[in-house]
Amino acid sequence: MLPARNRMRRSREFDATVKDGMRIAQPDLVVHVRRGDDDETGPRVGLIVAKSVGSAVDRHRVSRRLRHAVRGMLGDLHQQDRVVIRALPSSRQASSTRLEQELRKGLRRVFERAGSDG
């Protein structure tokens, strides 16, 4: 489970991250990252798992896998990072390992492009 302090809840946080952040597409995910300018401490992560991914059971399974993967990466993120992960329909068939690898690769590519070390 992702700690409550690290979860995005407000639509304006999601909107700002998707609109103003950097975007990297992977085969099963799209990763949006934005360095926040607020005083809150700790990275915040939001998931977008639309109905196109599959049934409610499929969407919840993908969400659980993504939350588990990102939980292990919180220490690698800057305190003001905001991350939105959009699951693509193909994520339904992807293994947990593959989702985690794609997430790590996406975050690494965003930070390389931004010229920071995360």
Side-chain angles (χ1 to χ4, degrees):
M1 191 59 142
L2 197 58
R5 70 180 176 277
N6 296 114
R7 284 187 239 148
M8 267 190 211
R9 290 199 175 86
R10 299 186 190 332
S11 63
R12 69 176 176 257
E13 276 187 285
F14 279 86
D15 293 344
T17 302
V18 170
K19 181 181 173 197
D20 301 328
M22 295 185 72
R23 176 175 90 71
I24 293 292
Q26 295 292 315
D28 302 311
L29 307 170
V30 177
V31 181
H32 300 268
V33 180
R34 176 177 169 267
R35 178 104 353 130
D37 52 1
D38 52 11
D39 292 335
E40 290 187 50
T41 57
R44 301 195 35 124
V45 178
L47 302 177
I48 300 173
V49 185
K51 287 185 178 181
S52 62
V53 170
S55 68
V57 172
D58 293 330
R59 294 191 310 268
H60 286 290
R61 183 178 299 120
V62 168
S63 295
R64 282 193 308 272
R65 289 175 175 174
L66 289 172
R67 279 194 306 267
H68 179 75
V70 80
R71 183 175 158 203
M73 297 176 208
L74 288 175
D76 300 334
L77 298 173
H78 188 275
Q79 292 297 308
Q80 292 178 322
D81 281 346
R82 302 297 176 252
V83 178
V84 172
I85 304 160
R86 180 185 303 272
L88 299 176
S90 59
S91 65
R92 178 178 60 235
Q93 288 90 20
S95 68
S96 297
T97 304
R98 180 173 167 169
L99 291 175
E100 183 174 349
Q101 288 171 345
E102 287 186 19
L103 182 56
R104 284 189 186 281
K105 184 177 179 182
L107 288 171
R108 186 174 52 249
R109 286 177 58 199
V110 165
F111 293 129
E112 285 171 359
R113 186 187 290 176
S116 88
D117 56 320

